[in-house]
Structures are given as structure tokens and as C-alpha cells.
């Protein structure tokens, strides 16, 4: 007998990092910023006109698009907004990847890319990173339906150079190349300038890491106006009012406080560099991270052991079961005090398990 | 030469109602609530812990799912949450409509249904409403891939009875039947109880109308846990953190103030009934609306004329170019004072154009 179950879209869902909520926890598992949003954001929230919430938001989120354009020296029609960079990337996949040829992204990268490809029935191939977790440029020279590169890459933390990106783009002028810069603010480098040279390059960034607003779900893409228009056509066919009024207001307010932004990013970087030294001292090895996390493996103690014992102590890091990286931990950078506690506990675990 | 443009998803985008912002305007064009959100919502916003915005939201939005479940006497796993009911409906289309048979919805109904069908490449047919804007039950007896009924229907305002719905569902036990109840709170009727009898019925509701929170983008679906789980699998494959922390907090707060909700809904209904009498006096005809808008046509003055002149006077109503309804206006119910101004101006327009 036929049933509605026959027509279900069955899909292996993405499993997000757990969101524990314990008073004494150190949460280093989802790459959030340990510092609160800017005082400008707080002020904007406290003074917000609640009555306006009865009205739909502006479908274009113009206030926020304008603020981002101003911040990056662009025109507003070069900016696309979404409900976090996941929403932005999902819409980019739907908009640009309608070829029968496979899209390309590395075997080890943000674990949502293959989930979207499955969801939207886009063929894909995953060239393997080399043994040092670097991308191999020649892997991206073949015919394809599009290219997606997280830079710096997650969960490896490795940054590829602008020359590398330029080379890949030059070999792929006939498809859209997405550069996912979720962590770029911690690297001091961005491929934003390439959007001026190449009409097929889309840069994706987020408020969830460097701007301390993961809870407000704000992501954006930057590219030539034709790319942005095509994404907006798909966006408006899916949900014409994606951004809450408060996301628009708080997102714009955050950009007004460039000093606070620079200061918190600098603090995270300083703590990251301290943590790197400590991890080395404890016998960890890792590629030099340019993000707000470190992807590390220990010379003798298995990642799973460290993960489990830390968890018992309410310190949460991320462990992926995936092949090639099953002995690695991804450790988000918290405050200096949080990282000191993390190092202290980890040192003990290693002493007890050597 | 091949170009990235070859792989674009081309789509006729939905055109949302305009969002003018003039100090003296009367905005009766997008069916928003004329009354602000509950004082509980304001209080929750003012006391909100801004620091928490650095963290991702709970992927399940459990606080809000629990509050809705409690409000409607359900279990939390019968509730699905989305970024407005548009997001909820889009995900329902993606999740449930994967048959080669066409899905069915009326020729005159919410104008997003065919847009989603196009976007997700779902075949569809649109049986015509009868001349009184009623659905014809036999049209929905044929083999199909799913059924979508807005009840009360938009933009007609017409409510079909529970018996009508039950009959359509009985003829469609092998597909998912979506009942879009965006306006049900203004009708005093809901098909919610049918989700207990039928495992293939999904009810969709929204905070954007009766709950005065269009600006926060909150919609939800209610159905048996198996339907909800399937939607969540798709949801988590698209965007695992769709709801902002503030949407969850304010959405839950709104539900705590049932008295305010009843009171504002009652005020809208009272003004609607007053407006109906006035419109009849002016020579308009319409089906008896069970929503927060009236879909009316005038005996002698063309809808386009009334629309244009009202617009010059900063009174915004909605006019659809679509066949069969090109001579109708959809007029949202504002405050009593706003509707009095609307009636005054309309009376003048009619006097001058008779």
C-alpha cells in the first residue's frame, strides 16, 4: 500500500556540536567567541523599539547591507545576507551548482558541504588534502560544476595563500568558486580583493566567530552584483523575510565599533599563540592555526581519551569520528583563564595516560 | 564558451508586499497586527542577557518548542520551528513532496506555493476555486503527490469547514496534507485536532499575524512526531541554528500572555466587523472574511483606481495583478482609527469616480 512515507526526502542530517549549558563549563567545542558582543550592540538592544516587531522586516535588510558595504568599501548590491553563513552557503549551493559535473571540495573540510550537496542532489567529489592538510592545486584543475574552499580551512585551521586561490580561480573561470572565510578575521588575510578581479568568486563570512553574535544568526556573501542578484532571486523564492529586525539592528551596531572588534580579535589571537606553545610543551602537534581554534593530535595519548576525560571535567572540545582525523581534537580558543584551566587539566590527563 | 551563468538556477522570484516607511502612513498591505507585541515580550527584551548572544542558539529551540507544546496541549516532539511560516512551509515542501505526481493547491491562494514548487522542481496543479471562492472537494480526490490548503484561504479570507478538510484528508491518506493556518486565530477555528486523528496532516501557524511578531520571524508546524522528525532531518541538513536566541526568548514570552493575545485578536475582529459594514455601505462586496483582512471588489470603481489614489494618500492596501482577482483589493485590518481614515478616504474616492 502506498503511504506518504514513500515521498519523504531521506537524508543523513548534519550533527551540530553539542550545546551544553553548565555553570562551571569551559565550552571550547563550537568556535564561538569567548568575549561578549560590543557595548554598542548592548545599547542598541536596550533602546530597541519593541513596537516595531509587529511589522515585517525590510526584505532587503538594507540597513545591514549598507553598513557592511560601507565597512568593506563596496556597493550594497555586492552584499547578500543570510541567517548565518550556513544559510548563505546553502543558498549559494542551490543558486550556482546546477551542473551535472561534480562540485569539488576537500575530503577534510567543513562538514556541511557534502550535506548540502546531498540535500540539493548536487554531484560532488572530495580530493584528499595532502599529509600536511594542504590542498593540492592540481586537484582543482579538472572539469567541475563549482569549487568550495574554506580558507582558513576547518577543522584543520590551515590558511592557503592568495596565490594558491588565484591559481585555482584562474583554472575555474567557468564555474562559481566559493571561498568560505568564516575564520578569516583571525588570519589577518582575506580574498575579498579577488571579487574585484573575478566575476565568479563569492566570499562568505559570518558574525558568529569574530563578531561575537552567533546567537543572532548573521552571515553574508560578497561578490559581483550579478552573483548577488541570482542568490537574492533564490532567496526571495524561499523566504522573503529571512532576517529578524533585531538581527539587522544589532548586526549594523556591531560594525560601528571597529575598535572593540579589533581588540577582541587581538585577544583571541594572543591566547591562541599562548595555547600553541603550551600544547607543544605537552607533546601535541598541529599545523599553524590561523583561526580561533587549534586542531591538534597528541604523540601518545589518544584523542578520544583526552576528549572523554575533559568532558567529565566539564571542558568541551570537538572530536570528529572521520577517517584520517580520528586522532585529532579541535579546540576552540576561549578566554586566557579558560585556556589555562584547559591546559592544566590536559596536562594532568597526559601525565596519567602516558 | 561555457560560463558560470550556465549553471544558475533561474527562477521567477516571489515579490513580497512593499514595506513603505512613512510617518503618516496607514499600512494595510501585508496583514500585520496593528497592535504591538505583549508587554511580556517588551520586558523579556529589556532584561535579555546580551552576553549570551556570543553563543550559538540551542539547535532544537527547546524552550520555544516546549512553550508551544504546553500552550496547545501537545508533546514537544510534535512541534517544528522555523524562520516564519514561509521557512516552515518551504521545508515541508522539500521534505514531503518528492513524488512524480503533482501536488495540488487552488488557483487562488497564497502566492508562495507555486514559487516553492518551482524552486524545488515539484510538479503541481492548481484546481480553480468556484465562483464564490470556495474549494471544490472533488478536485482533491484525484491521485496526487500532496495537498496544500490555506485555511482560512488567502487572499480570499474564506474559511472551509472541518468537515470539508476531513473529507479531503480521507481521500488523501497516502500523501501529506498541509493546512496553512496563518490566519486561523482570527477565525475562531483550527484543524489542530485533526493531527491527533491523522498521521499525515501538518498544521502550519505563525507569530506574524495574531501574535504581533512579524519582525522576529517565527513560524511553526504541528503534526505527528514522525512528520516532525522528517522535517527536522531536512532542517538540520540546511541550517542547524535557524532561530535567533532572541526569537526563542521573545516567542516563549509571547505565549505567557494569553490574556493580551485574546484581547488584541478580539479588537482586530471587532474592527473587521465594523469595516465590513462600512465597505458594504460603500458598495463593496466580499466573502465573509475570517482573517485579519478583507478581500473586496467594488460595484463600479476599479480596484486599480482605488489602490492608486489610496497610495497617493499614504494608505497602502494590496492589489494582485492575477487573473480572476484583478478587480479585488486585499485590505488588512488596522486599528479602529486607521480603518476610519481608510473608510473616509475610500468614500471620497468612490464619490469622485462613480
Amino acid at each position: 500500500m502506498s503511504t506518504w512515507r514513500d515521498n519523504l526526502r531521506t537524508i543523513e542530517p548534519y550533527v551540530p556540536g553539542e550545546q551544553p549549558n553548565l555553570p562551571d563549563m569551559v565550552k571550547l567545542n563550537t568556535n564561538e567567541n569567548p568575549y561578549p558582543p560590543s557595548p554598542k550592540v548592548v545599547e542598541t538592544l536596550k533602546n530597541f523599539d519593541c513596537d516595531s516587531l509587529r511589522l515585517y522586516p525590510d526584505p532587503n535588510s538594507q540597513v545591514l547591507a549598507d553598513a557592511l558595504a560601507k565597512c568593506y568599501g563596496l556597493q550594497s548590491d555586492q552584499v547578500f545576507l543570510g541567517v548565518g553563513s550556513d544559510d548563505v552557503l546553502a543558498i549559494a549551493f542551490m543558486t550556482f551548482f546546477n551542473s551535472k559535473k561534480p562540485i569539488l571540495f576537500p575530503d577534510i573540510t567543513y562538514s556541511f558541504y557534502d550535506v548540502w550537496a546531498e540535500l540539493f542532489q548536487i554531484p560532488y567529489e572530495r580530493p584528499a588534502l595532502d599529509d600536511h592538510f594542504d590542498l593540492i592545486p592540481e586537484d582543482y584543475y579538472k572539469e567541475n560544476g563549482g569549487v568550495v574552499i574554506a580558507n582558513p580551512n576547518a577543522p584543520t585551521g590551515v590558511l592557503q595563500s592568495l596565490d594558491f586561490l588565484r591559481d585555482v580561480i584562474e583554472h575555474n573561470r567557468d564555474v562559481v568558486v566559493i571561498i568560505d572565510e568564516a575564520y578569516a578575521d583571525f588570519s589577518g588575510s582575506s580574498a575579498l580583493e579577488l571579487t574585484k578581479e573575478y566575476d565568479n568568486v563569492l566570499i562568505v563570512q559570518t558574525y558568529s566567530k569574530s563578531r561575537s553574535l552567533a546567537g543572532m544568526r548573521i552571515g553574508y556573501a560578497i561578490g559581483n552584483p550579478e552573483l548577488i542578484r541570482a542568490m537574492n532571486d533564490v532567496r526571495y523564492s524561499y523566504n522573503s523575510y529571512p532576517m529578524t529586525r533585531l538581527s539587522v539592528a544589532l548586526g549594523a551596531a556591531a560594525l560601528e565599533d571597529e575598535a572593540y572588534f579589533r581588540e577582541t580579535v587581538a585577544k583571541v589571537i594572543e591566547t591562541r599563540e599562548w595555547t600553541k606553545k603550551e600544547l607543544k610543551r605537552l607533546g601535541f602537534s598541529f599545523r599553524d592555526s590561523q583561526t580561533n581554534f587549534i586542531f591538534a593530535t597528541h604523540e601518545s595519548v589518544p584523542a578520544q581519551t583526552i576528549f572523554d576525560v575533559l568532558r567529565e571535567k566539564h571542558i568541551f572540545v570537538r572530536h570528529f569520528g572521520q577517517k584520517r582525523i580520528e586522532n585529532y581534537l579541535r579546540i576552540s580558543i576561549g578566554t586566557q583563564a579558560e585556556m589555562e584551566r584547559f591546559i592544566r587539566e590536559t596536562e594532568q590527563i597526559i601525565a596519567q595516560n602516558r
Side-chain angles (χ1 to χ4, degrees), chain A:
Chain A
M1 211 191 83
S2 78
T3 146
W4 55 266
R5 292 175 189 83
D6 301 340
N7 300 331
L8 277 184
R9 185 174 297 231
T10 50
I11 185 110
E12 191 73 44
Y14 173 80
V15 181
E18 60 186 331
Q19 297 295 354
N21 190 11
L22 304 165
D24 67 331
M25 73 177 171
V26 175
K27 189 171 181 303
L28 309 176
N29 68 334
T30 48
N31 297 341
E32 288 141 335
N33 200 311
Y35 302 105
S38 143
K40 284 254 183 216
V41 170
V42 180
E43 193 190 318
T44 303
L45 184 69
K46 295 301 172 199
N47 295 328
F48 192 80
D49 168 23
C50 275
D51 285 10
S52 73
L53 292 179
R54 70 177 184 85
L55 298 170
Y56 281 99
D58 166 21
N60 304 315
S61 310
Q62 202 62 48
V63 168
L64 184 50
D66 290 349
L68 280 162
K70 192 178 154 211
C71 176
Y72 292 108
L74 306 161
Q75 300 299 314
S76 301
D77 63 358
Q78 294 171 278
V79 181
F80 174 89
L81 285 159
V83 183
S85 61
D86 285 348
D87 181 42
V88 174
L89 286 161
I91 288 178
F93 273 52
M94 233 193 292
T95 307
F96 301 123
F97 298 157
N98 295 287
S99 162
K100 295 212 185 319
K101 294 173 204 155
I103 62 168
L104 305 176
F105 49 85
D107 65 337
I108 300 169
T109 190
Y110 184 36
S111 47
F112 234 124
Y113 300 152
D114 59 322
V115 176
W116 288 315
E118 297 280 349
L119 180 65
F120 302 127
Q121 292 150 358
I122 302 163
Y124 62 97
E125 284 176 20
R126 315 187 59 165
L129 295 181
D130 73 15
D131 290 342
H132 306 286
F133 293 153
D134 275 309
L135 281 79
I136 303 166
E138 291 76 14
D139 289 343
Y140 299 86
Y141 291 176
K142 62 180 287 191
E143 268 210 285
N144 64 66
V147 175
V148 189
I149 295 175
N151 199 46
N153 197 10
T156 64
V158 176
L159 179 75
Q160 305 294 334
S161 69
L162 270 190
D163 284 345
F164 169 91
L165 295 177
R166 199 183 290 275
D167 175 61
V168 168
I169 296 163
E170 286 286 356
H171 282 86
N172 287 285
R173 296 287 286 122
D174 60 336
V175 297
V176 171
V177 178
I178 296 178
I179 303 172
D180 179 354
E181 293 197 336
Y183 301 100
D185 287 331
F186 301 105
S187 77
S189 160
S190 166
L192 213 58
E193 64 185 75
L194 299 184
T195 61
K196 290 174 191 160
E197 285 172 64
Y198 300 105
D199 65 1
N200 64 321
V201 171
L202 190 80
I203 306 288
V204 177
Q205 297 192 350
T206 175
Y207 273 68
S208 298
K209 318 294 179 185
S210 54
R211 303 237 179 232
S212 302
L213 278 174
M216 286 314 287
R217 317 308 302 120
I218 309 171
Y220 52 98
I222 290 169
N224 93 69
E226 202 181 341
L227 291 180
I228 300 305
R229 202 176 319 122
M231 287 180 75
N232 271 324
D233 282 353
V234 171
R235 144 67 67 218
Y236 293 132
S237 304
Y238 181 96
N239 188 356
S240 19
Y241 304 105
M243 311 295 288
T244 75
R245 280 183 169 257
L246 277 161
S247 304
V248 170
L250 303 190
L255 295 180
E256 283 169 30
D257 200 350
E258 182 73 13
Y260 182 87
F261 168 69
R262 284 180 194 277
E263 187 195 318
T264 46
V265 166
K267 279 200 284 187
V268 170
I269 291 174
E270 193 186 334
T271 302
R272 177 185 75 198
E273 297 307 312
W274 177 87
T275 308
K276 283 179 187 173
K277 280 189 206 132
E278 291 296 303
L279 285 174
K280 274 191 192 140
R281 180 174 67 78
L282 301 186
F284 283 91
S285 61
F286 43 85
R287 279 294 305 270
D288 190 43
S289 166
Q290 296 296 307
T291 62
N292 68 337
F293 58 82
I294 299 171
F295 193 57
T297 186
H298 192 261
E299 58 193 13
S300 60
V301 186
Q304 185 72 57
T305 306
I306 303 171
F307 175 85
D308 289 340
V309 184
L310 282 174
R311 206 165 185 288
E312 284 165 24
K313 295 171 189 289
H314 294 179
I315 297 176
F316 297 88
V317 298
R318 190 90 191 258
H319 179 234
F320 300 87
Q322 199 190 332
K323 237 174 73 180
R324 293 188 70 188
I325 58 172
E326 61 275 71
N327 208 24
Y328 280 79
L329 295 175
R330 194 194 65 186
I331 304 143
S332 307
I333 302 300
T335 61
Q336 182 66 28
E338 287 175 324
M339 298 320 281
E340 284 169 12
R341 179 168 152 207
F342 159 76
I343 288 290
R344 209 159 53 235
E345 298 287 2
T346 303
E347 185 157 19
Q348 242 178 43
I349 296 168
I350 285 166
Q352 285 161 357
N353 288 275
R354 236 182 239 280

